[in-house]
Amino acid sequence: MLGRTKDQIRTTEQVNGAMASCQALKLDALVIIGGVTSNTDAAQLAETFAEAKCATKVVGVPVTLNGDLKNQFVETTVGFDTICKVNSQLISNVCTDALSAEKKKRALYQPELPPCLQGTTVRVEYGDAAIAADPAGAHVISHAFPHTYGQPLAHFLRKTANVPDATVISEHPVVRVGVVFCGRQSPGGHNVIWGLHEAIKAHNPNSKLIGFLGGSDGLLAQRTLEITNEVLSSYKNQGGYDMLGRTKDQIRTTEQVNGAMASCQALKLDALVIIGGVTSNTDAAQLAETFAEAKCATKVVGVPVTLNGDLKNQFVETTVGFDTICKVNSQLISNVCTDALSAEKYYYFIRMMGRKASHVALECALQSHPNMVILGEEVAASKLTIFDITKQICDAVQARAEKDKYHGVVLIPEGLVSLYMPYGYSLTTFLSGIYEIHGLHSKGVSMENISSQLSPWASALFEFLPPFIRKQLLLHPESDDSAQLSQIETEKLLAQLVENEMNRRMVLGHVCYHILAAGLNGYMATVTNLKSPANKWRCGAAPISSMMTVKRWSRGPAATQIGKPAVHMATVDLKGKAFELLRNNSTSFLIDDIYRNPGPIQFEGAGADSKPISLCVEDQDYMGRIKKLQEYLEKVKSIVKPGCSQDVLKAALSAMSSVTETLAIMTSSSTGQGTPL
């Protein structure tokens, strides 16, 4: 509201200036709000004013988050309690401890279920066979997944739905279901297990849910824990993956796949639920295919849980964990914005999680309104170098300085470092350099000796990077052998370059049970129409293979191209409405300090039903539209049948001809093929 600059009134000139101001404004009192230094200055001012017979009285107020202004007269300072509670909450997020009073209250919250998941009868309507998201790679995907590709979409129906062809499952035999955490830990993972356990027990109390301890390692080693109400009581509505834990993030090699199948057979599992992101669900699809080929009775179900929000396609609107992580980060960013606005002399560079996709950075920017946000997708599309980005930030700092604003907040995604092209090289060339550096380090070459053994351009790249970035690049790689982007302090690199330049969640668990009750294999649980209230959510299942694409890339200068079907991470759509909203407001975000604080996460009351902005502005609900189209087609079939009038038949033929021609043109243009004759 008022802001602050220097934190001292100490020199004779400063003290006399303060007294002159008080006399000019005819102040009866001057209240100084601050910590130990500020109150020391207040005491000196009071003494000087009294000596000079200045009528202004000086009062000090102990306000400091450090809590270090404490003596026999001052028990604590304003701000100390709040900062300790905020920090304690953050610390508790990375610790496993007994439930606090707040967590116990949170555990009592009961999430709302959509009508289609209520009751003990499963009603499922099967749609048409799902084709690949990437038509150009359909042949490769169908060849790699002959048993699970081309399966129909599944829509779960509410009790009142009148669909004659729906399959109704009212008898539920005893089942044994296994569940495993894979990938980065994410908010909502425990609630998926809670929902799955609740659904399993509701349909048959004798069924069992078996968790694998330690992720995929636990699956292969058959380290298990039976999930019971007692086990769940400490984890309902709580973050983390600590109930079961996780280790490796892959089930990829023939040995691993066979080991997983052996575990499922030994434990006599009817289904295996894999909770994770793009990599984990790709592995789930491969397991489902291998199990089907081997006639293993275990069905495999994937659940999209990742805080990055990059498992996004026509079937998956958003992932479990994305909304929570964006709300938490947005609140923290808004706190930083408030601090920047108060101090009026600092620029903050905040690195956002998200690997190579910038969904978290985009959503947090829309939520908290920082002055500037760099999106990796923009960098890649515009082929910007790190020096281009540095220039953009410097120009922004200069523009704000011209308006007497010497503070600001800049968001950058952690995956930005993988898009840096310092010397104008292509992204592929840059990544090849990273792989070359990793390859030498994995062979035992020390950081000091790597540069001399690299190719000339890779050596130049390595030498360009500051020492702390070089060290972070050589950390133990991710499960897919890529660099640990989350450990690379990109924000420090950008801040250093800018400085130099200026100087010069529960529902999906129930869906999982409906999927296995329907006997489906190789499917991912989906919930769509998420921007509407929970009673209007549409629950279903889509074959994971239909979400796959075939991407080709090279590793190393002489490597051959590799093409393999996989569920790939979705990047920010630079033509989408969410990005358009950000671009339309970017100028006001940059110059005007319109910081926004979305507030803490709430289960009840104001803000409890808030949805991600990037979800609400997009026009999604693909599964709902597919179902609506099927309803229209059924109506056409019921109207246009042998015996209908010539006029009805002609109208139907004319309309269908126009529609099919339009769709053929749209399909050919999206796949890059010519217009069919």
Side-chain angles (χ1 to χ4, degrees), residues 9-307:
I9 312 170
R10 195 159 303 165
T11 66
T12 302
E13 182 182 1
Q14 290 170 336
V15 171
N16 289 336
M19 184 162 57
S21 295
C22 292
Q23 290 173 329
L25 295 169
K26 299 179 181 180
L27 297 184
D28 296 294
L30 173 65
V31 177
I32 295 180
I33 300 174
V36 288
T37 302
S38 303
N39 278 280
T40 299
D41 294 344
Q44 184 59 58
L45 277 183
E47 177 64 26
T48 304
F49 284 17
E51 183 180 354
K53 293 183 171 53
C54 174
T56 305
K57 309 301 182 185
V58 181
V59 178
V61 182
V63 179
T64 169
L65 50 83
N66 299 321
D68 53 0
L69 204 174
K70 190 174 181 182
N71 50 50
Q72 66 270 41
F73 306 108
V74 181
E75 292 185 355
T76 189
T77 58
V78 175
F80 179 71
D81 179 51
T82 300
I83 202 68
C84 288
K85 285 180 177 177
V86 170
N87 284 335
S88 296
Q89 182 185 6
L90 295 176
I91 293 167
S92 70
N93 289 341
V94 297
C95 298
T96 301
D97 59 356
L99 291 182
S100 64
E102 291 80 4
K103 287 188 174 182
K104 287 179 180 178
K105 185 176 180 180
R106 182 186 300 174
L108 298 176
Y109 174 75
Q110 182 71 36
E112 182 182 356
L113 286 180
C116 59
L117 300 181
Q118 297 173 7
T120 58
T121 299
V122 175
R123 297 172 178 80
V124 57
E125 178 189 11
Y126 295 104
D128 296 327
I131 61 173
D134 174 22
H139 175 71
V140 177
I141 298 170
S142 62
H143 182 74
F145 296 88
H147 298 86
T148 54
Y149 179 74
Q151 298 187 100
L153 292 178
H155 304 275
F156 298 112
L157 308 175
R158 61 179 66 199
K159 184 177 181 180
T160 56
N162 184 18
V163 181
D165 296 334
T167 301
V168 179
I169 304 168
S170 54
E171 296 294 328
H172 301 278
V174 174
V175 293
R176 291 171 58 84
V177 181
V179 61
V180 60
F181 284 135
C182 292
R184 281 184 178 183
Q185 66 177 16
S186 176
H190 287 147
N191 272 28
V192 172
I193 294 181
W194 176 21
L196 178 56
H197 177 268
E198 189 176 80
I200 285 174
K201 292 296 185 179
H203 289 85
N204 193 314
N206 296 320
S207 294
K208 292 186 182 298
L209 179 60
I210 299 167
F212 289 98
L213 298 171
S216 54
D217 276 359
L219 170 62
L220 301 178
Q222 299 182 32
R223 293 194 298 270
T224 63
L225 170 70
E226 182 178 347
I227 307 298
T228 63
N229 284 324
E230 290 73 22
V231 171
L232 281 168
S233 62
S234 298
Y235 298 98
K236 293 177 179 179
N237 299 317
Q238 309 299 326
Y241 276 5
D242 47 301
M243 178 168 63
L244 298 177
R246 52 170 283 267
T247 49
K248 290 182 179 178
D249 302 332
Q250 61 180 30
I251 311 169
R252 197 162 303 163
T253 66
T254 302
E255 182 181 1
Q256 290 169 337
V257 171
N258 290 338
M261 183 161 59
S263 295
C264 291
Q265 291 173 326
L267 295 169
K268 298 179 180 179
L269 297 184
D270 295 285
L272 173 65
V273 177
I274 293 179
I275 297 174
V278 288
T279 302
S280 304
N281 278 282
T282 298
D283 294 343
Q286 186 59 63
L287 278 183
E289 178 64 28
T290 303
F291 285 16
E293 184 178 0
K295 294 182 171 55
C296 174
T298 306
K299 310 298 183 185
V300 181
V301 177
V303 184
V305 179
T306 169
L307 47 82

